[in-house]
Structure formats: structure tokens, C-alpha cells
Amino acid sequence: ATPLEARQIKANEALLSLIRARLHLIAKRREDRLVFDLQTAVAESFGFKAQLPAPGETNPRGTRRASEALMKRYYWAAKAVTQLNQILLLNIEERLASGEPGVQRLRPINERFFEKGGMLEVAHDNLYIQQPHAILETFHIYQTTVGVKGLSARTLRALYNARHVMNGRFRSDPVNRETFRRIIMEPQGITHAMRLMNQTSVLGRYLWVFRNIVGQMQHDLFHVYTVDQHILMVLRNVRRFFIAEHSHEYPFCSQLAAGWDKPWILYVAALFHDIAKGRGGDHSELGAHDVRSFCRQHGIAREDAKLIAFLVAEHLTMSRLAQKADLSDPDVIADFARRVGNERHLTALYLLTVADIRGTSPKVWNAWKGKLLEDLYRYTLRVLGGRAPDPGAVIEGRKREALQMLA
């Protein structure tokens, strides 16, 4: 490790050790789990205070629990340690494997990057400082190059040392915006690219609004992930609807996805649907405002931008109606049909809603919720004058798959 990395590891380790010591004192025993019941007491011991809405305030801004502030600090420290440990361990692995034949062979990708043992390697240590455009290019190459399964220690270290380069000017650079646009519009690899961008903190530095929800806890009965991890889980769920190998999981969603022409619209909606959590106010409305700005900045066509903003603004509507409204009431269905407007909006909202519910917790989704949502979709489609996919197509598709496997 470099002296800077060693200092960073020590500083974050000190914070984690202090949290652990406070946890033991408050629990009055050895307790190494920062469980929900103890988080508030530990947070208050650090001086964190809850920011609650004033009495009668209907649209509070910036409200959060003391425990949420503590847990955000904890997750940021844990993430920094993870990044630095990865650099250190990869360096050790490379030194141990240095004598093995073929490991050190560099395969040129372009003038800035090489492939080395399946890892993406920068051409030189100062690449990102000298050529900031190469930062996002890293993830596009990782996403699109066969055989590249990760970033080398040298690349991770170069990214870590170039954090100061990813500033306001970097975010507003047209070349960087075009590269990010290409990343989200690629037909494959979106989940891997976004996860790696989040792990290396590049996603939060490029999308500044995303940075605010990294490590943000959600203290409710449903969410078990931090907001950033939940968003990436929803993105992954949407992506799986478009992959034939996963069509057996949710056949109806896969049928609808098979007829959808622009998967990236749903990817952007997934990325922004909860991005305003923790700011106070209606996170759906705030997120819709954020994604409109994103679409303008990245040259996304007006009709596509309008659909994305609709999905972010309404991402809770279908779930709420399906579980709380009387679906046998024609007025309920007619009102919802007017709200979605057309079959395209309805299909996109249905796919995002299923992916969102599945991404809250492994235990939240069940057959009952699935049936309610599908019923609402079909009833609304009938009102809009559309036609649902033929359910017999699922059976025929499975027959073909079975025949291929037997062959």
C-alpha cells in the first residue's frame, strides 16, 4: 500500500473501531452486530441528532433519524476499507502470480488500456489525471470487452488517486456525458458496469445526486438494503426481464420485455426511482425533476425523457393501487387508465413496479402481490384497448426449451 492508502485505511479503521467500542458500552456486553435496536443510542453517543419535521409541516425537507446519519458514516467507512483492501489484495495476488507463465502478458485494447490476465490495466499510473475522459471509458470497455472480468490493482489505484479529477467540470463535460449515455444504452453489461462504478465511487462522483443516497438506510418494514444497493438491485431485476435464460422466473414480465424496444429507458428509470430518498418531501417528484435534468444533459429525446420522468414520478402508484384499492371497481381502473395514458406507459410501469418490489427484500414479493399487479395490468389494458400477450406462448416457449435440453 502507498502511504496515502495506509493513512486512509488507518483513519477508517479507527472510526469502525470507535463505533464498535461504543456499541459494547451501550449493549453492556460484547456485541459486534450494529443491530437496529442499538443504532439510535450509538448515534446519539456520537452527537448525531434526529432532524424531524416541525409540527404541522406537510412537506419536510432534509429529515432523517440520528441512526441514519451514523449508518451512512459507517457504510462510507466500510466502503473505503473495501476499496483499499481490494487494491492491496490484488497487488499481493499479482506478485504471487508473477512467476506463472502467461499471467504478465499484456494484450492491447487501445492506446490507453491493456488486458492482463482477464483484468483491465491502465497504460500508465497517471492516465486518469492526464486524460479524465478515460475514467468513464474504463467502465464502457469493461462492459463491452469479452474476457475482461474486473479491474487490475493498478487501475483501481489510479481511479482512487484520481478522485479529485471527478468534479463539476468533469460532470458537465460533453465527452463524459456521451460516454455515460453509451454505457446505459449498451444492450449488455449494464448491471456489472453500474455495480463496479458504485464500488469504485465513480457513479456517485459522476451522478452527484446518486452520491447523496450511497449508504442511506431505509428504516421501514420492507427495505433491507441501503438506497444505493436497492437501486442497483432493481436495475438488475429489470435487466433480467430481458435475458432469455431468466424467462422462467417471471414469464409474464419476460413476455412483455420481449416486445419492448428500448430497455435503457427502464434502466434509467430504475437508476433514478429512489434517488431523492432522504431529502425530505416527495422523493418521487424530486426524483422526476432530477431525471428530467439528466435527460436534458445527456441528449435523450423528448418522448423518451417524458416516459422516464413519468415512471420515476409514478413508480409507487401501481403497487399502492393493486394492494389497497378495489380492483373490481370500474372507476378505479378507469382512473388509473387515464393516469397512465397508453399501453406503452402501462407496460413500462408494470415492469418497473415488479422489479422494485422484488428489490426491497427477498421476503417481500409473493404470489398474491404478483397476481394483484397482473390483474391490475390486464384490467387497465382492456380499458386502454390494448391486447395482453398470449399466455399460451409461455407454454410453447417452455416446450421448445425442454426439447432443446433433451436433444
Side-chain angles (χ1 to χ4, degrees):
T2 65
L4 171 63
E5 290 164 1
R7 287 196 301 272
Q8 291 287 331
I9 288 176
K10 286 180 180 178
N12 285 290
E13 182 194 19
L15 174 60
L16 295 173
S17 297
L18 184 57
I19 292 174
R20 182 171 179 260
R22 297 278 179 92
L23 181 60
H24 287 193
L25 287 171
I26 288 167
K28 296 184 172 61
R29 65 179 185 276
R30 175 170 177 161
E31 175 58 86
D32 292 334
R33 299 169 304 152
L34 195 50
V35 292
F36 179 76
D37 293 344
L38 296 174
Q39 288 173 14
T40 298
V42 175
E44 289 174 348
S45 77
F46 278 95
F48 291 115
K49 297 186 184 299
Q51 299 174 8
L52 300 175
E57 190 175 3
T58 57
N59 192 27
R61 302 188 68 81
T63 61
R64 67 176 181 179
R65 294 177 171 86
S67 58
E68 291 175 355
L70 169 72
M71 294 306 292
K72 195 163 192 174
R73 286 283 300 277
Y74 163 78
Y75 279 114
W76 277 76
K79 186 175 183 179
V81 170
T82 302
Q83 287 177 327
L84 293 162
N85 275 352
Q86 190 178 15
I87 293 171
L88 182 62
L89 292 171
L90 281 172
N91 266 307
I92 292 171
E93 285 179 16
E94 287 181 7
R95 291 193 182 188
L96 289 174
S98 60
E100 295 181 13
V103 172
Q104 294 298 315
R105 188 173 62 84
L106 296 175
R107 178 174 68 87
I109 294 174
N110 58 29
E111 64 273 15
R112 291 173 295 282
F113 295 98
F114 295 91
E115 182 263 322
K116 177 183 174 184
M119 310 299 270
L120 188 62
E121 174 106 345
V122 289
H124 56 87
D125 293 333
N126 293 323
L127 173 68
Y128 298 131
I129 294 172
Q130 294 175 5
Q131 301 181 48
H133 294 155
I135 293 175
L136 292 183
E137 184 189 6
T138 302
F139 300 94
H140 190 244
I141 289 174
Y142 166 74
Q143 180 185 25
T144 57
T145 305
V146 176
V148 173
K149 60 180 185 289
L151 306 184
S152 71
R154 188 181 187 187
T155 303
L156 288 170
R157 177 170 282 159
L159 273 175
Y160 191 80
N161 292 333
R163 287 172 298 164
H164 66 281
V165 173
M166 292 176 266
N167 52 23
R169 188 167 62 180
F170 176 87
R171 289 186 283 276
S172 60
D173 190 305
V175 175
N176 290 331
R177 287 179 173 176
E178 178 55 31
T179 304
F180 191 80
R181 175 190 163 99
R182 288 206 307 272
I183 290 171
I184 62 173
M185 290 187 177
E186 280 294 335
Q188 294 181 335
I190 182 70
T191 304
H192 294 306
M194 290 297 161
R195 280 182 174 166
L196 187 59
M197 288 180 75
N198 190 40
Q199 288 167 13
T200 53
S201 297
V202 173
L203 184 55
R205 289 181 179 275
Y206 178 73
L207 281 182
W208 200 249
V209 286
F210 190 90
R211 185 176 175 82
N212 295 329
I213 49 90
V214 172
Q216 174 73 36
M217 288 294 293
Q218 304 183 79
H219 287 312
D220 56 36
L221 296 175
F222 307 110
H223 294 84
V224 297
Y225 307 111
T226 55
V227 182
D228 58 318
Q229 292 302 323
H230 164 69
I231 284 175
L232 295 177
M233 186 67 73
V234 174
L235 177 63
R236 168 251 192 197
N237 291 342
V238 171
R239 173 66 188 132
R240 284 167 83 99
F241 294 151
F242 293 91
I243 300 175
E245 290 80 6
H246 297 290
S247 61
H248 64 282
E249 296 176 347
Y250 297 89
F252 186 60
C253 291
S254 294
Q255 278 183 276
L256 295 175
W260 187 262
D261 58 337
K262 296 178 180 177
W264 61 267
I265 287 178
L266 295 173
Y267 302 157
V268 176
L271 197 58
F272 277 84
H273 81 283
D274 273 354
I275 210 161
K277 280 278 185 79
R279 281 194 239 163
D282 186 336
H283 77 276
S284 300
E285 290 181 8
L286 294 171
H289 178 269
D290 289 340
V291 83
R292 287 190 197 99
S293 298
F294 172 87
C295 290
R296 281 196 303 271
Q297 292 165 358
H298 292 78
I300 291 174
R302 181 176 296 180
E303 281 303 308
D304 294 334
K306 185 178 177 182
L307 173 54
I308 294 168
F310 163 80
L311 293 173
V312 174
E314 302 288 345
H315 74 272
L316 297 174
T317 303
M318 199 167 189
S319 173
R320 185 174 62 246
L321 269 179
Q323 296 178 54
K324 295 183 178 180
D326 180 6
L327 300 186
S328 64
D329 185 345
D331 291 338
V332 170
I333 304 302
D335 287 343
F336 181 59
R338 280 192 293 272
R339 192 161 186 167
V340 296
N342 57 54
E343 182 181 348
R344 183 171 175 78
H345 281 52
L346 174 65
T347 298
L349 186 59
Y350 174 76
L351 291 173
L352 180 62
T353 302
V354 174
D356 188 18
I357 296 175
R358 288 181 61 205
T360 55
S361 162
K363 299 178 181 179
V364 166
W365 180 263
N366 55 45
W368 172 73
K369 289 179 181 175
K371 181 68 165 61
L372 289 175
L373 281 171
E374 189 172 328
D375 285 348
L376 178 56
Y377 176 87
R378 292 182 184 277
Y379 297 157
T380 309
L381 190 65
R382 198 176 302 155
V383 171
L384 292 171
R387 184 173 62 86
D390 179 10
V394 180
I395 298 170
E396 291 304 316
R398 290 191 180 181
K399 284 180 181 177
R400 285 194 299 272
E401 289 175 11
L403 288 171
Q404 288 171 2
M405 290 172 71
L406 287 169

